[in-house]
PDB file of all heavy atoms in Angstrom:
ATOM      1  N   ILE A  57       0.161  11.089   3.058  1.00  0.00           N
ATOM      2  CA  ILE A  57       0.661  10.075   2.121  1.00  0.00           C
ATOM      3  C   ILE A  57       1.075  10.688   0.786  1.00  0.00           C
ATOM      4  O   ILE A  57       1.190  10.066  -0.235  1.00  0.00           O
ATOM      5  CB  ILE A  57      -0.427   8.973   1.863  1.00  0.00           C
ATOM      6  CG1 ILE A  57      -1.755   9.588   1.462  1.00  0.00           C
ATOM      7  CG2 ILE A  57      -0.500   8.065   3.080  1.00  0.00           C
ATOM      8  CD1 ILE A  57      -2.768   8.596   0.985  1.00  0.00           C
ATOM      9  N   GLN A  61      -2.974  14.225   0.675  1.00  0.00           N
ATOM     10  CA  GLN A  61      -3.956  13.260   1.249  1.00  0.00           C
ATOM     11  C   GLN A  61      -3.400  12.577   2.435  1.00  0.00           C
ATOM     12  O   GLN A  61      -2.208  12.690   2.778  1.00  0.00           O
ATOM     13  CB  GLN A  61      -4.407  12.343   0.163  1.00  0.00           C
ATOM     14  CG  GLN A  61      -5.050  13.045  -1.020  1.00  0.00           C
ATOM     15  CD  GLN A  61      -6.213  13.840  -0.616  1.00  0.00           C
ATOM     16  OE1 GLN A  61      -6.987  13.514   0.291  1.00  0.00           O
ATOM     17  NE2 GLN A  61      -6.421  14.963  -1.275  1.00  0.00           N
ATOM     18  N   THR A  62      -4.260  11.851   3.162  1.00  0.00           N
ATOM     19  CA  THR A  62      -3.773  11.210   4.370  1.00  0.00           C
ATOM     20  C   THR A  62      -4.253   9.712   4.337  1.00  0.00           C
ATOM     21  O   THR A  62      -5.242   9.365   3.729  1.00  0.00           O
ATOM     22  CB  THR A  62      -4.439  11.837   5.674  1.00  0.00           C
ATOM     23  OG1 THR A  62      -5.840  11.941   5.444  1.00  0.00           O
ATOM     24  CG2 THR A  62      -3.917  13.231   5.865  1.00  0.00           C
ATOM     25  N   ILE A  63      -3.510   8.901   5.097  1.00  0.00           N
ATOM     26  CA  ILE A  63      -3.952   7.545   5.439  1.00  0.00           C
ATOM     27  C   ILE A  63      -4.706   7.769   6.741  1.00  0.00           C
ATOM     28  O   ILE A  63      -4.238   8.377   7.658  1.00  0.00           O
ATOM     29  CB  ILE A  63      -2.746   6.584   5.550  1.00  0.00           C
ATOM     30  CG1 ILE A  63      -3.228   5.133   5.920  1.00  0.00           C
ATOM     31  CG2 ILE A  63      -1.680   7.035   6.502  1.00  0.00           C
ATOM     32  CD1 ILE A  63      -2.121   4.090   5.842  1.00  0.00           C
ATOM     33  N   SER A  64      -5.940   7.220   6.765  1.00  0.00           N
ATOM     34  CA  SER A  64      -6.802   7.496   7.956  1.00  0.00           C
ATOM     35  C   SER A  64      -6.217   6.912   9.212  1.00  0.00           C
ATOM     36  O   SER A  64      -5.391   5.976   9.131  1.00  0.00           O
ATOM     37  CB  SER A  64      -8.191   6.858   7.741  1.00  0.00           C
ATOM     38  OG  SER A  64      -8.805   7.365   6.612  1.00  0.00           O
ATOM     39  N   GLU A  86     -15.716   1.261  -1.860  1.00  0.00           N
ATOM     40  CA  GLU A  86     -15.040   2.287  -1.079  1.00  0.00           C
ATOM     41  C   GLU A  86     -14.859   3.505  -1.887  1.00  0.00           C
ATOM     42  O   GLU A  86     -14.368   3.448  -3.007  1.00  0.00           O
ATOM     43  CB  GLU A  86     -13.657   1.779  -0.571  1.00  0.00           C
ATOM     44  CG  GLU A  86     -12.929   2.895   0.206  1.00  0.00           C
ATOM     45  CD  GLU A  86     -11.402   2.606   0.441  1.00  0.00           C
ATOM     46  OE1 GLU A  86     -10.794   1.931  -0.392  1.00  0.00           O
ATOM     47  OE2 GLU A  86     -10.854   3.140   1.357  1.00  0.00           O
ATOM     48  N   VAL A  87     -15.231   4.664  -1.372  1.00  0.00           N
ATOM     49  CA  VAL A  87     -14.948   5.950  -2.087  1.00  0.00           C
ATOM     50  C   VAL A  87     -13.770   6.612  -1.371  1.00  0.00           C
ATOM     51  O   VAL A  87     -13.824   6.883  -0.149  1.00  0.00           O
ATOM     52  CB  VAL A  87     -16.220   6.858  -2.001  1.00  0.00           C
ATOM     53  CG1 VAL A  87     -15.860   8.217  -2.564  1.00  0.00           C
ATOM     54  CG2 VAL A  87     -17.349   6.213  -2.796  1.00  0.00           C
ATOM     55  N   GLY A  88     -12.676   6.836  -2.151  1.00  0.00           N
ATOM     56  CA  GLY A  88     -11.510   7.475  -1.578  1.00  0.00           C
ATOM     57  C   GLY A  88     -10.432   6.389  -1.286  1.00  0.00           C
ATOM     58  O   GLY A  88     -10.120   6.103  -0.099  1.00  0.00           O
ATOM     59  N   THR A  89      -9.811   5.870  -2.353  1.00  0.00           N
ATOM     60  CA  THR A  89      -8.837   4.796  -2.182  1.00  0.00           C
ATOM     61  C   THR A  89      -7.594   5.231  -1.357  1.00  0.00           C
ATOM     62  O   THR A  89      -7.158   4.475  -0.505  1.00  0.00           O
ATOM     63  CB  THR A  89      -8.345   4.292  -3.581  1.00  0.00           C
ATOM     64  OG1 THR A  89      -9.465   4.079  -4.449  1.00  0.00           O
ATOM     65  CG2 THR A  89      -7.471   3.110  -3.470  1.00  0.00           C
ATOM     66  N   GLY A  90      -7.180   6.402  -1.617  1.00  0.00           N
ATOM     67  CA  GLY A  90      -5.941   6.927  -0.906  1.00  0.00           C
ATOM     68  C   GLY A  90      -4.786   5.965  -1.019  1.00  0.00           C
ATOM     69  O   GLY A  90      -4.432   5.468  -2.090  1.00  0.00           O
ATOM     70  N   SER A  91      -4.236   5.608   0.102  1.00  0.00           N
ATOM     71  CA  SER A  91      -3.121   4.663   0.174  1.00  0.00           C
ATOM     72  C   SER A  91      -3.532   3.218  -0.133  1.00  0.00           C
ATOM     73  O   SER A  91      -2.699   2.389  -0.377  1.00  0.00           O
ATOM     74  CB  SER A  91      -2.535   4.729   1.593  1.00  0.00           C
ATOM     75  OG  SER A  91      -3.408   4.127   2.528  1.00  0.00           O
ATOM     76  N   GLY A  92      -4.823   2.936   0.046  1.00  0.00           N
ATOM     77  CA  GLY A  92      -5.290   1.540  -0.171  1.00  0.00           C
ATOM     78  C   GLY A  92      -5.379   0.751   1.112  1.00  0.00           C
ATOM     79  O   GLY A  92      -5.825  -0.382   1.114  1.00  0.00           O
ATOM     80  N   TYR A  93      -4.988   1.409   2.188  1.00  0.00           N
ATOM     81  CA  TYR A  93      -4.975   0.654   3.484  1.00  0.00           C
ATOM     82  C   TYR A  93      -6.374   0.176   3.907  1.00  0.00           C
ATOM     83  O   TYR A  93      -6.569  -1.010   4.242  1.00  0.00           O
ATOM     84  CB  TYR A  93      -4.315   1.539   4.577  1.00  0.00           C
ATOM     85  CG  TYR A  93      -4.322   0.848   5.975  1.00  0.00           C
ATOM     86  CD1 TYR A  93      -3.415  -0.123   6.205  1.00  0.00           C
ATOM     87  CD2 TYR A  93      -5.249   1.209   6.927  1.00  0.00           C
ATOM     88  CE1 TYR A  93      -3.407  -0.804   7.422  1.00  0.00           C
ATOM     89  CE2 TYR A  93      -5.217   0.548   8.185  1.00  0.00           C
ATOM     90  CZ  TYR A  93      -4.301  -0.441   8.402  1.00  0.00           C
ATOM     91  OH  TYR A  93      -4.331  -1.073   9.659  1.00  0.00           O
ATOM     92  N   GLN A  94      -7.358   1.063   3.846  1.00  0.00           N
ATOM     93  CA  GLN A  94      -8.713   0.644   4.213  1.00  0.00           C
ATOM     94  C   GLN A  94      -9.242  -0.411   3.279  1.00  0.00           C
ATOM     95  O   GLN A  94      -9.900  -1.374   3.726  1.00  0.00           O
ATOM     96  CB  GLN A  94      -9.644   1.929   4.145  1.00  0.00           C
ATOM     97  CG  GLN A  94     -11.113   1.606   4.305  1.00  0.00           C
ATOM     98  CD  GLN A  94     -11.575   1.245   5.723  1.00  0.00           C
ATOM     99  OE1 GLN A  94     -11.589   2.150   6.591  1.00  0.00           O
ATOM    100  NE2 GLN A  94     -11.887   0.017   5.969  1.00  0.00           N
ATOM    101  N   ALA A  95      -8.893  -0.347   1.983  1.00  0.00           N
ATOM    102  CA  ALA A  95      -9.281  -1.381   1.078  1.00  0.00           C
ATOM    103  C   ALA A  95      -8.711  -2.772   1.469  1.00  0.00           C
ATOM    104  O   ALA A  95      -9.417  -3.777   1.378  1.00  0.00           O
ATOM    105  CB  ALA A  95      -8.843  -1.082  -0.374  1.00  0.00           C
ATOM    106  N   ILE A 108     -12.730   3.601  -5.453  1.00  0.00           N
ATOM    107  CA  ILE A 108     -12.574   4.712  -6.447  1.00  0.00           C
ATOM    108  C   ILE A 108     -11.697   5.861  -5.820  1.00  0.00           C
ATOM    109  O   ILE A 108     -11.856   6.209  -4.650  1.00  0.00           O
ATOM    110  CB  ILE A 108     -13.913   5.425  -6.752  1.00  0.00           C
ATOM    111  CG1 ILE A 108     -15.068   4.412  -6.837  1.00  0.00           C
ATOM    112  CG2 ILE A 108     -13.803   6.313  -7.939  1.00  0.00           C
ATOM    113  CD1 ILE A 108     -16.396   5.116  -7.050  1.00  0.00           C
ATOM    114  N   GLU A 109     -10.845   6.428  -6.658  1.00  0.00           N
ATOM    115  CA  GLU A 109      -9.982   7.524  -6.264  1.00  0.00           C
ATOM    116  C   GLU A 109     -10.019   8.548  -7.348  1.00  0.00           C
ATOM    117  O   GLU A 109      -9.957   8.245  -8.560  1.00  0.00           O
ATOM    118  CB  GLU A 109      -8.570   7.017  -6.044  1.00  0.00           C
ATOM    119  CG  GLU A 109      -7.521   8.124  -5.734  1.00  0.00           C
ATOM    120  CD  GLU A 109      -7.875   9.004  -4.613  1.00  0.00           C
ATOM    121  OE1 GLU A 109      -8.093   8.502  -3.474  1.00  0.00           O
ATOM    122  OE2 GLU A 109      -7.924  10.252  -4.782  1.00  0.00           O
ATOM    123  N   ARG A 110     -10.149   9.850  -6.969  1.00  0.00           N
ATOM    124  CA  ARG A 110     -10.239  10.877  -7.975  1.00  0.00           C
ATOM    125  C   ARG A 110      -8.883  11.601  -8.316  1.00  0.00           C
ATOM    126  O   ARG A 110      -8.841  12.317  -9.276  1.00  0.00           O
ATOM    127  CB  ARG A 110     -11.227  11.937  -7.536  1.00  0.00           C
ATOM    128  CG  ARG A 110     -10.711  12.900  -6.516  1.00  0.00           C
ATOM    129  CD  ARG A 110     -11.716  13.915  -6.126  1.00  0.00           C
ATOM    130  NE  ARG A 110     -11.777  15.049  -7.074  1.00  0.00           N
ATOM    131  CZ  ARG A 110     -10.919  16.071  -7.034  1.00  0.00           C
ATOM    132  NH1 ARG A 110      -9.798  15.994  -6.300  1.00  0.00           N
ATOM    133  NH2 ARG A 110     -11.032  17.030  -7.909  1.00  0.00           N
ATOM    134  N   GLN A 111      -7.869  11.316  -7.563  1.00  0.00           N
ATOM    135  CA  GLN A 111      -6.566  11.891  -7.906  1.00  0.00           C
ATOM    136  C   GLN A 111      -5.772  10.903  -8.708  1.00  0.00           C
ATOM    137  O   GLN A 111      -5.412   9.790  -8.188  1.00  0.00           O
ATOM    138  CB  GLN A 111      -5.803  12.169  -6.617  1.00  0.00           C
ATOM    139  CG  GLN A 111      -6.136  13.509  -6.058  1.00  0.00           C
ATOM    140  CD  GLN A 111      -5.044  14.040  -5.115  1.00  0.00           C
ATOM    141  OE1 GLN A 111      -3.850  13.969  -5.477  1.00  0.00           O
ATOM    142  NE2 GLN A 111      -5.395  14.502  -3.944  1.00  0.00           N
ATOM    143  N   LEU A 114      -2.362   9.489  -7.363  1.00  0.00           N
ATOM    144  CA  LEU A 114      -2.564   8.572  -6.175  1.00  0.00           C
ATOM    145  C   LEU A 114      -3.149   7.237  -6.610  1.00  0.00           C
ATOM    146  O   LEU A 114      -2.752   6.182  -6.143  1.00  0.00           O
ATOM    147  CB  LEU A 114      -3.458   9.319  -5.192  1.00  0.00           C
ATOM    148  CG  LEU A 114      -3.486   8.861  -3.732  1.00  0.00           C
ATOM    149  CD1 LEU A 114      -2.084   8.830  -3.139  1.00  0.00           C
ATOM    150  CD2 LEU A 114      -4.333   9.898  -2.899  1.00  0.00           C
ATOM    151  N   GLY A 134     -11.908   7.803 -10.722  1.00  0.00           N
ATOM    152  CA  GLY A 134     -13.173   8.475 -11.051  1.00  0.00           C
ATOM    153  C   GLY A 134     -13.771   9.282  -9.903  1.00  0.00           C
ATOM    154  O   GLY A 134     -13.066   9.396  -8.884  1.00  0.00           O
ATOM    155  N   ASP A 135     -14.973   9.687 -10.075  1.00  0.00           N
ATOM    156  CA  ASP A 135     -15.632  10.560  -9.057  1.00  0.00           C
ATOM    157  C   ASP A 135     -16.534   9.720  -8.171  1.00  0.00           C
ATOM    158  O   ASP A 135     -17.559   9.165  -8.598  1.00  0.00           O
ATOM    159  CB  ASP A 135     -16.452  11.590  -9.801  1.00  0.00           C
ATOM    160  CG  ASP A 135     -17.150  12.488  -8.800  1.00  0.00           C
ATOM    161  OD1 ASP A 135     -16.804  12.492  -7.585  1.00  0.00           O
ATOM    162  OD2 ASP A 135     -18.051  13.234  -9.197  1.00  0.00           O
ATOM    163  N   GLY A 136     -16.191   9.677  -6.850  1.00  0.00           N
ATOM    164  CA  GLY A 136     -16.949   8.905  -5.895  1.00  0.00           C
ATOM    165  C   GLY A 136     -18.401   9.347  -5.703  1.00  0.00           C
ATOM    166  O   GLY A 136     -19.186   8.521  -5.287  1.00  0.00           O
ATOM    167  N   TYR A 137     -18.647  10.630  -6.004  1.00  0.00           N
ATOM    168  CA  TYR A 137     -20.066  11.077  -5.869  1.00  0.00           C
ATOM    169  C   TYR A 137     -21.000  10.267  -6.759  1.00  0.00           C
ATOM    170  O   TYR A 137     -22.168  10.121  -6.557  1.00  0.00           O
ATOM    171  CB  TYR A 137     -20.156  12.588  -6.245  1.00  0.00           C
ATOM    172  CG  TYR A 137     -19.825  13.490  -5.078  1.00  0.00           C
ATOM    173  CD1 TYR A 137     -18.527  14.011  -4.959  1.00  0.00           C
ATOM    174  CD2 TYR A 137     -20.734  13.835  -4.152  1.00  0.00           C
ATOM    175  CE1 TYR A 137     -18.198  14.851  -3.960  1.00  0.00           C
ATOM    176  CE2 TYR A 137     -20.462  14.688  -3.153  1.00  0.00           C
ATOM    177  CZ  TYR A 137     -19.147  15.213  -2.988  1.00  0.00           C
ATOM    178  OH  TYR A 137     -18.848  16.001  -1.954  1.00  0.00           O
ATOM    179  N   THR A 152     -14.526   7.451   2.621  1.00  0.00           N
ATOM    180  CA  THR A 152     -13.407   7.716   3.537  1.00  0.00           C
ATOM    181  C   THR A 152     -12.912   9.188   3.383  1.00  0.00           C
ATOM    182  O   THR A 152     -11.763   9.427   3.702  1.00  0.00           O
ATOM    183  CB  THR A 152     -12.282   6.691   3.346  1.00  0.00           C
ATOM    184  OG1 THR A 152     -11.718   6.877   2.046  1.00  0.00           O
ATOM    185  CG2 THR A 152     -12.701   5.284   3.516  1.00  0.00           C
ATOM    186  N   ALA A 153     -13.764  10.008   2.895  1.00  0.00           N
ATOM    187  CA  ALA A 153     -13.521  11.484   2.888  1.00  0.00           C
ATOM    188  C   ALA A 153     -14.764  12.189   3.413  1.00  0.00           C
ATOM    189  O   ALA A 153     -15.846  11.610   3.314  1.00  0.00           O
ATOM    190  CB  ALA A 153     -13.173  11.953   1.445  1.00  0.00           C
ATOM    191  N   VAL A 205     -10.194  14.452   5.286  1.00  0.00           N
ATOM    192  CA  VAL A 205      -9.986  15.379   4.142  1.00  0.00           C
ATOM    193  C   VAL A 205     -11.290  15.402   3.405  1.00  0.00           C
ATOM    194  O   VAL A 205     -12.043  14.449   3.438  1.00  0.00           O
ATOM    195  CB  VAL A 205      -8.780  14.937   3.254  1.00  0.00           C
ATOM    196  CG1 VAL A 205      -7.526  14.988   3.992  1.00  0.00           C
ATOM    197  CG2 VAL A 205      -9.028  13.544   2.601  1.00  0.00           C
ATOM    198  N   PRO A 206     -11.566  16.515   2.619  1.00  0.00           N
ATOM    199  CA  PRO A 206     -12.945  16.647   1.973  1.00  0.00           C
ATOM    200  C   PRO A 206     -13.100  15.719   0.788  1.00  0.00           C
ATOM    201  O   PRO A 206     -12.145  15.393   0.043  1.00  0.00           O
ATOM    202  CB  PRO A 206     -12.946  18.115   1.516  1.00  0.00           C
ATOM    203  CG  PRO A 206     -11.499  18.505   1.416  1.00  0.00           C
ATOM    204  CD  PRO A 206     -10.713  17.687   2.451  1.00  0.00           C
ATOM    205  N   LEU A 207     -14.332  15.268   0.606  1.00  0.00           N
ATOM    206  CA  LEU A 207     -14.788  14.588  -0.581  1.00  0.00           C
ATOM    207  C   LEU A 207     -15.013  15.755  -1.620  1.00  0.00           C
ATOM    208  O   LEU A 207     -15.937  16.498  -1.441  1.00  0.00           O
ATOM    209  CB  LEU A 207     -16.034  13.808  -0.295  1.00  0.00           C
ATOM    210  CG  LEU A 207     -16.512  12.882  -1.454  1.00  0.00           C
ATOM    211  CD1 LEU A 207     -15.610  11.776  -1.720  1.00  0.00           C
ATOM    212  CD2 LEU A 207     -17.943  12.402  -1.153  1.00  0.00           C
ATOM    213  N   LEU A 208     -14.157  15.786  -2.620  1.00  0.00           N
ATOM    214  CA  LEU A 208     -14.205  16.948  -3.530  1.00  0.00           C
ATOM    215  C   LEU A 208     -15.172  16.659  -4.652  1.00  0.00           C
ATOM    216  O   LEU A 208     -15.334  15.531  -5.106  1.00  0.00           O
ATOM    217  CB  LEU A 208     -12.820  17.227  -4.074  1.00  0.00           C
ATOM    218  CG  LEU A 208     -11.869  17.692  -2.957  1.00  0.00           C
ATOM    219  CD1 LEU A 208     -10.403  17.707  -3.497  1.00  0.00           C
ATOM    220  CD2 LEU A 208     -12.260  18.947  -2.365  1.00  0.00           C
ATOM    221  N   GLU A 209     -15.836  17.752  -5.110  1.00  0.00           N
ATOM    222  CA  GLU A 209     -16.936  17.570  -6.019  1.00  0.00           C
ATOM    223  C   GLU A 209     -16.584  17.607  -7.517  1.00  0.00           C
ATOM    224  O   GLU A 209     -17.174  16.959  -8.307  1.00  0.00           O
ATOM    225  CB  GLU A 209     -18.065  18.546  -5.749  1.00  0.00           C
ATOM    226  CG  GLU A 209     -19.076  17.975  -4.870  1.00  0.00           C
ATOM    227  CD  GLU A 209     -20.411  18.733  -4.974  1.00  0.00           C
ATOM    228  OE1 GLU A 209     -21.187  18.405  -5.901  1.00  0.00           O
ATOM    229  OE2 GLU A 209     -20.604  19.636  -4.199  1.00  0.00           O
TER     230      GLU A 209
HETATM  231  N1  SAH B   1      -9.190   5.237   2.464  1.00  0.00           N
HETATM  232  C1  SAH B   1      -7.865   5.870   2.388  1.00  0.00           C
HETATM  233  C2  SAH B   1      -7.844   7.251   3.049  1.00  0.00           C
HETATM  234  C3  SAH B   1      -8.468   8.234   2.179  1.00  0.00           C
HETATM  235  S1  SAH B   1      -8.203   9.907   2.307  1.00  0.00           S
HETATM  236  C4  SAH B   1      -6.745   5.057   3.035  1.00  0.00           C
HETATM  237  O1  SAH B   1      -7.042   4.014   3.596  1.00  0.00           O
HETATM  238  O2  SAH B   1      -5.605   5.478   2.899  1.00  0.00           O
HETATM  239  C5  SAH B   1      -9.487  10.424   1.227  1.00  0.00           C
HETATM  240  C6  SAH B   1      -9.296  10.098  -0.214  1.00  0.00           C
HETATM  241  O3  SAH B   1     -10.495  10.441  -0.924  1.00  0.00           O
HETATM  242  C7  SAH B   1      -8.134  10.890  -0.884  1.00  0.00           C
HETATM  243  O4  SAH B   1      -7.243  10.070  -1.433  1.00  0.00           O
HETATM  244  C8  SAH B   1      -8.919  11.775  -1.821  1.00  0.00           C
HETATM  245  O5  SAH B   1      -8.112  12.057  -3.046  1.00  0.00           O
HETATM  246  C9  SAH B   1     -10.095  10.965  -2.175  1.00  0.00           C
HETATM  247  N2  SAH B   1     -11.274  11.715  -2.704  1.00  0.00           N
HETATM  248  C10 SAH B   1     -11.656  13.009  -2.463  1.00  0.00           C
HETATM  249  N3  SAH B   1     -12.713  13.311  -3.164  1.00  0.00           N
HETATM  250  C11 SAH B   1     -13.003  12.199  -3.916  1.00  0.00           C
HETATM  251  C12 SAH B   1     -14.070  11.889  -4.892  1.00  0.00           C
HETATM  252  N4  SAH B   1     -15.016  12.799  -5.188  1.00  0.00           N
HETATM  253  N5  SAH B   1     -14.078  10.671  -5.403  1.00  0.00           N
HETATM  254  C13 SAH B   1     -13.156   9.727  -5.103  1.00  0.00           C
HETATM  255  N6  SAH B   1     -12.145   9.986  -4.255  1.00  0.00           N
HETATM  256  C14 SAH B   1     -12.129  11.179  -3.619  1.00  0.00           C
END
Side-chain angles (χ1 to χ4, degrees):
I57 52 169
Q61 300 304 324
T62 54
I63 178 170
S64 301
E86 177 194 26
V87 173
T89 311
S91 70
Y93 179 75
Q94 171 76 70
I108 320 176
E109 172 57 54
R110 74 180 280 284
Q111 274 202 47
L114 201 49
D135 179 13
Y137 277 94
T152 66
V205 296
L207 185 69
L208 297 170
E209 264 201 86

